[in-house]
Coordinates of all heavy atoms in Angstrom, one line a residue:
T336 N 95.0 103.7 183.6 CA 93.7 103.0 183.5 C 92.5 103.9 184.0 O 91.4 103.9 183.4 CB 93.7 101.7 184.3 OG1 94.8 100.9 183.8 CG2 92.4 100.9 184.2
P337 N 92.7 104.7 185.1 CA 91.6 105.5 185.6 C 91.2 106.7 184.7 O 90.2 107.4 184.9 CB 92.1 106.0 186.9 CG 93.2 105.2 187.3 CD 93.8 104.7 186.0
L338 N 92.0 106.9 183.6 CA 91.7 108.0 182.7 C 90.3 108.0 182.1 O 89.6 109.0 182.1 CB 92.8 108.1 181.6 CG 92.7 109.3 180.7 CD1 92.8 110.6 181.4 CD2 93.8 109.2 179.6
S339 N 90.0 106.8 181.6 CA 88.7 106.7 181.0 C 87.6 106.8 182.0 O 86.4 107.2 181.7 CB 88.5 105.3 180.2 OG 88.8 104.3 181.1
C340 N 87.9 106.4 183.3 CA 86.9 106.5 184.4 C 86.6 108.0 184.7 O 85.4 108.4 184.9 CB 87.4 105.8 185.6 SG 87.5 104.0 185.4
H341 N 87.7 108.8 184.7 CA 87.5 110.2 185.0 C 86.7 110.9 183.9 O 85.8 111.7 184.1 CB 88.8 110.9 185.1 CG 89.7 110.5 186.3 ND1 89.1 110.4 187.5 CD2 91.0 110.2 186.4 CE1 90.0 110.1 188.4 NE2 91.2 109.9 187.8
V342 N 86.9 110.5 182.7 CA 86.2 111.1 181.5 C 84.8 110.6 181.6 O 83.8 111.4 181.3 CB 86.9 110.7 180.2 CG1 86.1 111.2 179.0 CG2 88.3 111.2 180.1
G343 N 84.5 109.3 181.9 CA 83.2 108.8 182.0 C 82.3 109.5 183.0 O 81.1 109.7 182.8
R344 N 82.9 109.8 184.2 CA 82.2 110.5 185.2 C 81.8 111.9 184.8 O 80.7 112.4 185.0 CB 83.0 110.6 186.5 CG 83.3 109.2 187.2 CD 83.9 109.4 188.5 NE 84.4 108.1 189.0 CZ 85.7 107.8 189.0 NH1 86.6 108.7 188.5 NH2 86.1 106.6 189.4
L345 N 82.7 112.6 184.1 CA 82.4 113.9 183.7 C 81.4 113.9 182.5 O 80.7 115.0 182.3 CB 83.7 114.6 183.2 CG 84.8 114.9 184.3 CD1 86.0 115.4 183.7 CD2 84.2 115.8 185.3
M346 N 81.3 112.8 181.8 CA 80.3 112.7 180.7 C 78.9 112.9 181.2 O 78.0 113.3 180.4 CB 80.5 111.3 180.1 CG 79.5 111.0 179.0 SD 79.8 109.3 178.4 CE 79.5 108.4 179.9
G347 N 78.6 112.6 182.5 CA 77.2 112.7 183.0 C 76.8 114.1 183.4 O 75.9 114.3 184.2
T348 N 77.5 115.2 183.0 CA 77.2 116.5 183.4 C 75.8 116.9 182.9 O 75.3 116.4 181.9 CB 78.2 117.5 182.7 OG1 77.8 118.9 183.1 CG2 78.2 117.4 181.2
E349 N 75.1 117.7 183.7 CA 73.7 118.1 183.4 C 73.6 119.5 183.0 O 72.5 120.0 182.7 CB 72.8 117.9 184.7 CG 72.8 116.4 185.1 CD 72.0 116.2 186.4 OE1 71.5 117.3 186.9 OE2 71.7 115.1 186.8
T350 N 74.8 120.2 182.9 CA 74.7 121.7 182.6 C 75.6 122.1 181.4 O 75.3 123.2 180.9 CB 75.1 122.5 183.8 OG1 76.5 122.1 184.2 CG2 74.2 122.2 185.0
N351 N 76.6 121.3 181.0 CA 77.5 121.7 180.0 C 77.5 120.8 178.8 O 78.1 119.7 178.9 CB 78.9 121.8 180.6 CG 79.9 122.6 179.8 OD1 79.7 122.7 178.6 ND2 80.9 123.1 180.4
P352 N 76.8 121.2 177.8 CA 76.7 120.2 176.6 C 78.1 120.1 175.9 O 78.3 119.0 175.3 CB 75.7 120.9 175.7 CG 75.6 122.3 176.1 CD 75.9 122.3 177.6
R353 N 78.9 121.1 175.9 CA 80.2 121.0 175.2 C 81.1 120.0 176.0 O 81.8 119.3 175.3 CB 80.9 122.4 175.1 CG 80.2 123.3 174.2 CD 81.1 124.5 173.9 NE 81.4 125.2 175.1 CZ 80.7 126.2 175.6 NH1 79.6 126.6 175.0 NH2 81.0 126.8 176.7
L354 N 81.1 120.1 177.3 CA 81.9 119.1 178.1 C 81.4 117.7 177.8 O 82.2 116.8 177.6 CB 81.7 119.4 179.6 CG 82.4 118.4 180.5 CD1 83.9 118.3 180.3 CD2 82.1 118.8 182.0
Q355 N 80.1 117.5 177.7 CA 79.6 116.2 177.4 C 80.0 115.7 176.0 O 80.4 114.5 175.8 CB 78.0 116.2 177.5 CG 77.4 114.8 177.4 CD 75.9 115.0 177.5 OE1 75.2 115.6 176.6 NE2 75.3 114.4 178.6
L356 N 80.0 116.6 175.0 CA 80.4 116.2 173.7 C 81.9 115.9 173.7 O 82.3 114.9 173.1 CB 80.2 117.4 172.7 CG 80.7 117.2 171.3 CD1 79.9 116.1 170.6 CD2 80.5 118.5 170.5
Y357 N 82.8 116.7 174.4 CA 84.2 116.4 174.4 C 84.5 115.1 175.1 O 85.4 114.3 174.6 CB 84.9 117.5 175.1 CG 84.8 118.9 174.5 CD1 85.0 120.0 175.2 CD2 84.6 119.0 173.1 CE1 84.9 121.3 174.6 CE2 84.5 120.2 172.5 CZ 84.7 121.4 173.2 OH 84.6 122.6 172.6
C358 N 83.7 114.7 176.1 CA 84.0 113.5 176.8 C 83.7 112.3 175.9 O 84.4 111.3 175.9 CB 83.1 113.4 178.1 SG 83.6 114.5 179.4
L359 N 82.6 112.4 175.2 CA 82.2 111.3 174.2 C 83.3 111.1 173.2 O 83.7 110.0 172.8 CB 80.9 111.6 173.6 CG 79.7 111.5 174.6 CD1 78.4 112.1 173.9 CD2 79.4 110.0 175.0
K360 N 83.8 112.2 172.7 CA 84.9 112.1 171.6 C 86.2 111.6 172.2 O 86.9 110.9 171.5 CB 85.1 113.5 171.0 CG 83.9 114.0 170.1 CD 84.3 115.3 169.5 CE 83.1 115.7 168.5 NZ 83.4 117.0 167.8
V361 N 86.5 111.9 173.5 CA 87.7 111.4 174.1 C 87.6 109.9 174.3 O 88.6 109.2 174.1 CB 88.0 112.1 175.4 CG1 89.0 111.4 176.2 CG2 88.4 113.6 175.2
L362 N 86.4 109.4 174.7 CA 86.3 108.0 174.9 C 86.4 107.3 173.5 O 87.0 106.2 173.5 CB 84.9 107.7 175.5 CG 84.7 108.1 176.9 CD1 83.2 107.8 177.3 CD2 85.6 107.3 177.8
R363 N 86.0 107.9 172.5 CA 86.2 107.3 171.1 C 87.7 107.3 170.8 O 88.2 106.3 170.2 CB 85.4 108.1 170.1 CG 85.6 107.7 168.7 CD 85.1 106.3 168.4 NE 85.3 105.9 167.0 CZ 86.4 105.4 166.5 NH1 87.5 105.3 167.2 NH2 86.4 105.1 165.2
E364 N 88.4 108.3 171.1 CA 89.9 108.3 170.8 C 90.6 107.3 171.7 O 91.5 106.6 171.2 CB 90.4 109.7 171.0 CG 89.9 110.8 170.1 CD 90.4 110.5 168.7 OE1 91.5 109.9 168.5 OE2 89.7 110.9 167.7
L365 N 90.3 107.3 173.0 CA 90.9 106.3 173.9 C 90.7 104.9 173.4 O 91.5 104.0 173.6 CB 90.5 106.5 175.3 CG 90.9 107.8 176.0 CD1 90.2 108.0 177.3 CD2 92.4 107.9 176.2
G366 N 89.5 104.6 172.9 CA 89.1 103.3 172.5 C 89.8 102.8 171.3 O 89.7 101.6 170.9
V367 N 90.6 103.6 170.7 CA 91.5 103.1 169.6 C 92.4 102.0 170.0 O 92.7 101.0 169.3 CB 92.2 104.3 168.9 CG1 93.3 103.8 167.9 CG2 91.3 105.3 168.3
M368 N 92.9 102.1 171.3 CA 93.7 101.0 171.8 C 92.8 99.9 172.3 O 91.8 100.1 173.1 CB 94.5 101.6 173.0 CG 95.3 102.8 172.7 SD 96.5 102.5 171.3 CE 97.5 101.3 171.9
P369 N 93.0 98.7 171.8 CA 92.1 97.5 172.1 C 91.9 97.3 173.6 O 90.7 97.0 174.0 CB 92.8 96.3 171.4 CG 93.6 96.9 170.3 CD 94.1 98.3 170.9
C370 N 92.9 97.4 174.4 CA 92.7 97.1 175.8 C 91.8 98.2 176.5 O 91.0 97.9 177.3 CB 94.1 97.1 176.5 SG 95.0 98.6 176.4

Side-chain angles (χ1 to χ4, degrees):
T336 305
L338 183 60
S339 56
C340 294
H341 292 316
V342 177
R344 294 190 194 100
L345 296 174
M346 176 183 61
T348 178
E349 298 177 355
T350 57
N351 194 336
R353 289 194 302 272
L354 174 60
Q355 188 178 65
L356 175 64
Y357 296 155
C358 288
L359 290 168
K360 289 184 176 182
V361 167
L362 289 176
R363 175 63 177 84
E364 292 293 333
L365 291 173
V367 171
M368 304 306 295
C370 60

